[in-house]
Amino acid sequence: MSCHETLWGRFTVSLWGQFLCSKCPVRSCLGCQGLLAKPEDGPNCGRCNSTAVTEDQLVALQAEVMQVLSKYGIEFGAASIPVSLSTQAGLTESSAKSTGRLLGLTQKSHARGSLFRTRRRAEVLLAENMPRVQAAATLAHEMMHAWLYLQGFDQLPDEVEEGLCELSAYTWLTDMVNSPESSYDKEQLRGFCEHMERDSSPVYGVGFHAAAAALHGRRLSQLLSYVRTYHVFPPFHYSPIGEHDASAPGPEVGQ
């Protein structure tokens, strides 16, 4: 109990098992979605504030995320993808289709290279003040946007592209859950996994569940090859992710 009063009548329980009575104002931490009850609390809880990513940590964080994605065949080679922090106002201004609070954004551009070729470029913006685990998962999502663009996956339906990018974020999270060398809080990692598993939003949630179901029994490279050709997910027998198993593997490793 955040207000330290006796719990009675109606109450709210957060993703983390926190209890708030009916008198407490219900606000969620923008990082971990935990409940904030104290008026002096900012947008994030103390735990998330303590691990908020700073500009000088982005290069190492990007390298860490790319190393995990490379295990599943998402290689960036010599491509340079700048990553920087941005205010929410900056993200909204840079987005062509913002519908609310943004955690990240991939800016895509191209320039003329040789006579008959254009050179594609991608740059990632991350919302400032995100806790490290959320920033890394968001970066895994945005790096997948960048990879798809640089690899020429054009004109994908939003549900397909966002589904693949959410799958990338989920892959990073589960890899960290299963890694004995991971320094991340396992409870926090599982909390973000469970939040994704429960997401039923039309584009991100439905797209993620469709991508995860389409991946079942396939290598990630096979799934991506099909999407490149047909711009849709391959047929699958839908098996929703809902009961998270910390030992469940991510996509199969290999080309």
Side-chain angles (χ1 to χ4, degrees), residues 6 11 29 42 50 60-61 67-68 77 85 89 104 106 120 134 138 144 177 179 182-183 198 208 225-226 228 235 239:
T6 302
F11 58 89
C29 169
S50 69
L61 189 68
Q67 182 179 23
V68 172
L85 298 180
T106 300
R120 297 187 176 211
Q134 186 182 35
T138 302
M144 190 63 176
V177 168
S179 171
S182 171
S183 61
R198 294 176 182 146
F208 165 60
S225 177
Y226 189 98
R228 181 193 288 275
S239 178

Side-chain angles (χ1 to χ4, degrees), residues 53-70:
V53 170
T54 57
E55 195 81 36
D56 61 347
Q57 296 172 328
L58 290 177
V59 171
L61 189 68
Q62 183 184 32
E64 177 184 301
V65 169
M66 291 173 66
Q67 182 179 23
V68 172
L69 297 183
S70 69

Side-chain angles (χ1 to χ4, degrees), residues 12 30-31 39 55-57 89 117 119 125 144 149-150 163 179 190 213 235-236 242:
T12 302
L30 294 181
E55 195 81 36
D56 61 347
Q57 296 172 328
R117 298 182 63 183
R119 182 180 178 185
L125 301 178
M144 190 63 176
Y149 175 67
L150 295 176
S179 171
R190 291 189 182 95
F236 56 85

Side-chain angles (χ1 to χ4, degrees), residues 201-240:
S201 59
V203 176
Y204 291 84
V206 173
F208 165 60
H209 285 282
L215 181 63
H216 185 69
R218 297 182 174 93
R219 293 189 182 277
L220 182 58
S221 60
Q222 294 173 321
L223 172 60
L224 291 171
S225 177
Y226 189 98
V227 169
R228 181 193 288 275
T229 301
Y230 299 105
H231 290 194
V232 296
F233 290 125
F236 56 85
H237 297 293
Y238 188 69
S239 178

Side-chain angles (χ1 to χ4, degrees), residues 169-184:
Y170 189 82
T171 296
W172 181 85
L173 287 165
T174 55
D175 193 276
M176 290 297 100
V177 168
N178 295 324
S179 171
E181 291 83 24
S182 171
S183 61
Y184 290 91

Side-chain angles (χ1 to χ4, degrees), residues 8-239:
W8 63 278
R10 304 183 70 176
F11 58 89
T12 302
V13 184
S14 78
L15 180 66
W16 306 100
Q18 301 163 287
F19 291 85
L20 280 183
C21 72
S22 58
K23 296 179 181 179
C24 291
V26 178
R27 295 188 300 119
S28 295
C29 169
L30 294 181
C32 67
Q33 304 303 311
L35 298 178
L36 301 173
K38 298 177 182 179
E40 63 269 22
D41 285 335
N44 288 347
C45 68
R47 178 168 66 170
C48 287
N49 279 332
S50 69
T51 64
V53 170
T54 57
E55 195 81 36
D56 61 347
Q57 296 172 328
L58 290 177
V59 171
L61 189 68
Q62 183 184 32
E64 177 184 301
V65 169
M66 291 173 66
Q67 182 179 23
V68 172
L69 297 183
S70 69
K71 291 164 53 177
Y72 303 97
I74 306 301
E75 299 276 1
F76 291 88
S80 176
I81 304 173
V83 180
S84 58
L85 298 180
S86 174
T87 63
Q88 195 58 220
L91 287 170
T92 301
E93 183 179 347
S94 300
S95 174
K97 50 182 180 181
S98 173
T99 58
R101 179 174 179 264
L102 295 172
L103 299 179
L105 179 69
T106 300
Q107 295 182 307
K108 307 166 184 176
S109 62
H110 63 272
R112 185 173 297 280
S114 61
L115 184 60
F116 300 106
R117 298 182 63 183
T118 58
R119 182 180 178 185
R120 297 187 176 211
R121 297 173 179 172
E123 179 178 352
V124 172
L125 301 178
L126 295 179
E128 59 185 7
N129 299 321
M130 280 196 293
R132 187 175 179 84
V133 62
Q134 186 182 35
T138 302
L139 185 54
H141 175 109
E142 297 301 333
M143 291 296 288
M144 190 63 176
H145 274 302
W147 187 87
L148 291 169
Y149 175 67
L150 295 176
Q151 294 295 318
F153 284 70
D154 296 324
Q155 299 180 332
L156 293 180
D158 286 348
E159 188 175 294
V160 174
E161 181 163 350
E162 296 298 347
L164 289 172
C165 294
E166 285 290 85
L167 182 64
S168 178
Y170 189 82
T171 296
W172 181 85
L173 287 165
T174 55
D175 193 276
M176 290 297 100
V177 168
N178 295 324
S179 171
E181 291 83 24
S182 171
S183 61
Y184 290 91
D185 184 320
K186 300 291 187 180
E187 179 190 9
Q188 198 172 27
L189 289 166
R190 291 189 182 95
F192 279 104
C193 286
E194 290 168 7
H195 179 73
M196 295 183 70
E197 290 161 6
R198 294 176 182 146
D199 186 9
S200 59
S201 59
V203 176
Y204 291 84
V206 173
F208 165 60
H209 285 282
L215 181 63
H216 185 69
R218 297 182 174 93
R219 293 189 182 277
L220 182 58
S221 60
Q222 294 173 321
L223 172 60
L224 291 171
S225 177
Y226 189 98
V227 169
R228 181 193 288 275
T229 301
Y230 299 105
H231 290 194
V232 296
F233 290 125
F236 56 85
H237 297 293
Y238 188 69
S239 178

